[in-house]
Every structure is written in C-alpha cells, then in structure tokens.
Amino acid sequence: MTPQSLLKMVKTDFAMVLLLFFISGCTTVRHAPPDDVSERATVSGMQDIRAFGGRPNDVFIKDLMGLLEKEQKKEAFSRKFSKTYTSLAISGGAENAAYGAGLLNGWSQSGSRPAFDAVTGISAGAIIAPFAFAGSKYDEKLKKLFTHYSTKDILRRKGLLPTLLGNSIASALPLKRLIDQNIDEDLLRDIAQAYREGRRLYAGTTELDSRKLVIWNMGKIASVGNDSALRLFRKIILASASIPGVFPPVYINVEFNNKVYDEMHVDGGISKNVFFIFDFSEGLDKMAIEKGIDFYGIKRELYVILNGYAKTFWKEVPNTLPAIAQQTYDLMATAKSIGDIYQLYSFTNADRSDFNLAYIPSDPPPKQKEFFDPIEMRRLFDLGFKEAVHGYDWKKYPPGLNKKWEDKKTVIPEYYFL
C-alpha cells in the first residue's frame, strides 16, 4: 500500500466517522413512556379509547357487554336474540387495498351490502374502514382515493442527507393531506352517530417502544366531536398506514401521573395484517352468560377482506436494492396475512360465527411499474367491483383449507395458529 493510498483511506474513514458522529448528534431527543407506564397512559382529554392487542380489555369488554344488554331489553319476554351481528375486518395491503375498495363498491351495487355492526381496519385497511363503516354514500370518495392517485401523490422522496439524518426515506406529507381532505367533519359526524346507535369502528397501530398492537375505538373518538378528536382520528389513520422506514413514525402524546410522553406509532400491519375484536374481548362470552344472556344463541357473521394474494406467483426481480426489498416485504406480508387469516378462522369456529373471506386472485399477476401504480390500482378496483357486483362468492375456509377438513372433523393443533 502506497503512502498516498493509505492517506486517502484515512481521510475517507475520518470523513465517515465525522458523518456518523454528526448523524448521532442530530437524533431527536424523545420522552418515551417506560414499560410499566405504556398501558396505563392516556391521551389527553380522551379516556378509555384504546386497548392493547392480545389481552382482554375490561373497558372494551364492558362496552360490548352494554350493547348486548341493550339488545336484551328489546326482547321483553325472551332472553334469546333474533338479531344477526354482521362485522367486517379489512386487512392492510398498500396499493392492493384498491381491490377492497372496488369490492365494497360492487357490494353496494349488488344491493346486499349490510350496515356493519363492527368494522376493523389496519394499515391501508384503516383508510378504507371509516368509509366502509359510514356506508355506501361514501363509495365514490373511496373509489377516488384508490384509483386517482400515484406514488407522487402518496409520498415525497427525501434526498440522501435528509434520509441519513432522518427517520425515513420519504415524507408522508402528501398522504397526510389526502387523509385530511377526505376524513372531514361530515364523515366524523356520521361515524359518531353510528357509534351512538351501538355500532363500533376500530383501527390498529403498532406502538414501537412497547412492540404492541394498539386498537383504537374510533367511534368513541369521533363522538367527542371537537377539533382535537378530528386531529387524533386523522393521526391514528396516518399512523396505521405509515410503513416504517418508508414513512416517518407518527408521535402521539400521552399522559400518566401528570407527565407527558411521546409514543411512536407506525403501520399496524407490522403487528397484524388483519384483526378483529377477538384481540381484546376474551371473557365476553362468560360475562354474557353470567348476565343471563344467551350469548351462544346470537347469530354472528364475519366478513374478511384480505387486500392481498393468497398464493405466491412468479415475478422476475431486478438486481437492485429497492426491487429486492419490495419482493421480500411482499413475501413476508403474504405469509403473515395467511397466518392472521387462520387465526381469525380458528376464533370464528370457536365463537360459532359464520366465516367469509375475500382475497385477490393470483391470475393474472400484478404488473405495477411503481409503488402506487394508478393503472394497476384501477385494475384491482375494477376486479373487486366486478367480482362483487353480482354477488361475491365468499370463501368459507382459509387458503389451503377446504370442506374435507371439516368432514373429517380434523382438529388443527393450537400451535398452527401462533
């Protein structure tokens, strides 16, 4: 090694050390809630509006219990209900959520789309969920959201230095503007009215410090009816759709013992790509029975829209970092979604609910030319619409499962769903 090359290497290494030192010095100072505080902290002025996934939540369970008791009072001479509770769970899927938007539009056109008693949404599904919950009057707005925009309307790429110094490769400002424009006071009033009528809307985010799924009671937030509620509602939807690394995290301030903390929320799909009330309602059946309610006599239907593919397909991958990263992410998301679907199917079986599933057919495979390709999104929207407009053929089993399993009374081991 010559003296010149050695000097060049030292200069390069020194420059890198300086850059790393500069980057570390620019890190934003946070005040994250400690582990023993995260589940006890509350959003200022908003009590009992969220639960943490994977464990029972007394407040949410009592809320659902109150709805059941109201229904029982309508049956003056009988404790058995004739009501069928119809619910919808919408998965994430980024640009693939155009399929779910089209399916909902076609479902409305068929004349058979119900007013859902409960709707859950996560990631891109969290953007769809408020419109699906509020009813078919919002179908046109939903269609425009998923057919009229491209990548430049969703994100704004950062330069190299802002990326190195920041927390994402793109700004979410364009997406935030779209959410703010479409989730307005009128929509919140409709959601608040449905909440008062006993219907429920939930959205999920991932809180990175605690590594937990956070489930938000969006109807209760909407029912507060002030500007703070509207801002929080929009912020939760943005957080649920913010893919970490691509978009910056969304900070939500919480309080505990007169101290304010900043929680870091990102894409709910990191925790689960689709969820339902099973994530917090364990024990509801027992409480209902203790109250004298014929819980097991209630009819329940769950519709699940998976904004993704149930099977993998061949796709040549260019030898570039973005292409490899996207293909890897897509594969992981598909595998994760199928696992979440199997878990939902297991819960609906145990809950004696009617299970109904929709997902994007793998034929023909997608031909997107950019992350949010408007041509591909319109194709997916039209596909979903076409499949639903004359009555969608809902799948009764998760992918890879069929009636033979049921006929043989096959018992699927518990670990299969973990």
Side-chain angles (χ1 to χ4, degrees), residues 272-291:
K272 279 199 170 183
N273 206 33
V274 62
F275 75 97
F276 193 55
I277 63 172
F278 307 122
D279 278 276
F280 60 76
S281 64
E282 181 184 351
L284 176 62
D285 53 347
K286 182 180 178 181
M287 185 182 293
I289 293 169
E290 289 174 352
K291 294 276 188 178

Side-chain angles (χ1 to χ4, degrees), residues 76-276:
F77 304 103
S78 173
R79 288 182 175 179
K80 292 188 176 181
F81 298 164
S82 58
K83 178 178 173 62
T84 297
Y85 287 87
T86 305
S87 304
L88 174 68
I90 312 171
S91 85
E95 73 284 355
N96 289 335
Y99 175 80
L103 191 148
L104 285 164
N105 270 253
W107 199 353
S108 296
Q109 288 293 310
S110 75
S112 61
R113 176 175 153 186
F116 301 105
D117 295 290
V119 175
T120 67
I122 204 159
S123 194
I127 298 176
I128 295 177
F131 303 101
F133 180 75
S136 57
K137 64 185 277 189
Y138 288 97
D139 280 359
E140 278 302 313
K141 185 170 282 192
L142 191 58
K143 178 180 179 179
K144 184 176 180 180
L145 264 173
F146 286 91
T147 60
H148 281 60
Y149 302 106
S150 61
T151 307
K152 65 180 175 59
D153 303 304
I154 307 297
L155 57 86
R156 187 174 65 205
R157 298 181 187 278
K158 298 178 180 178
L160 177 60
L161 190 58
T163 298
L164 290 173
L165 299 179
N167 52 14
S168 65
I169 64 172
S171 165
L173 186 58
L175 177 59
K176 181 181 183 301
R177 285 174 179 160
L178 280 178
I179 290 172
D180 290 353
Q181 289 166 8
N182 289 277
I183 295 181
D184 54 21
E185 292 85 351
D186 290 340
L187 176 61
L188 242 65
R189 276 194 292 269
D190 287 343
I191 291 171
Q193 179 59 35
Y195 173 79
R196 288 188 287 268
E197 292 170 358
R199 297 165 55 212
R200 294 295 179 263
L201 170 65
Y202 304 102
T205 62
T206 299
E207 204 287 298
L208 275 185
D209 296 310
S210 63
R211 304 185 184 188
K212 294 172 183 174
L213 171 68
V214 181
I215 299 170
W216 300 84
N217 188 336
M218 304 300 280
K220 188 167 186 176
I221 294 170
S223 69
V224 174
N226 57 25
D227 289 341
S228 295
L230 179 58
R231 286 194 298 271
L232 178 61
F233 195 104
R234 291 167 169 170
K235 185 176 280 193
I236 291 167
I237 300 300
L238 177 62
S240 187
S242 292
I243 304 169
V246 177
F247 294 117
V250 175
Y251 291 100
I252 297 177
N253 289 337
V254 295
E255 299 176 357
F256 183 74
N257 281 348
N258 297 319
K259 292 183 179 179
V260 178
Y261 302 93
D262 54 278
E263 290 183 339
M264 181 185 284
H265 289 259
V266 297
D267 190 345
I270 301 301
S271 301
K272 279 199 170 183
N273 206 33
V274 62
F275 75 97
F276 193 55

Side-chain angles (χ1 to χ4, degrees), residues 14-87:
F14 182 68
M16 287 298 297
V17 169
L18 281 178
L19 178 61
L20 291 173
F21 178 78
F22 179 61
I23 292 172
S24 64
C26 292
T27 302
T28 303
V29 177
R30 291 191 54 219
H31 194 200
D35 185 36
D36 60 340
V37 167
S38 62
E39 292 196 27
R40 294 185 287 171
T42 60
V43 179
S44 178
M46 304 264 185
Q47 297 295 317
D48 302 329
I49 59 169
R50 63 184 194 168
F52 287 81
R55 65 199 68 193
N57 182 277
D58 291 341
V59 172
F60 278 33
I61 290 173
K62 288 178 181 177
D63 175 56
L64 295 176
M65 188 67 233
L67 299 179
L68 292 176
E69 289 179 309
K70 284 183 180 179
E71 287 296 325
Q72 180 177 341
K73 290 178 182 178
K74 296 178 183 178
E75 303 287 336
F77 304 103
S78 173
R79 288 182 175 179
K80 292 188 176 181
F81 298 164
S82 58
K83 178 178 173 62
T84 297
Y85 287 87
T86 305
S87 304

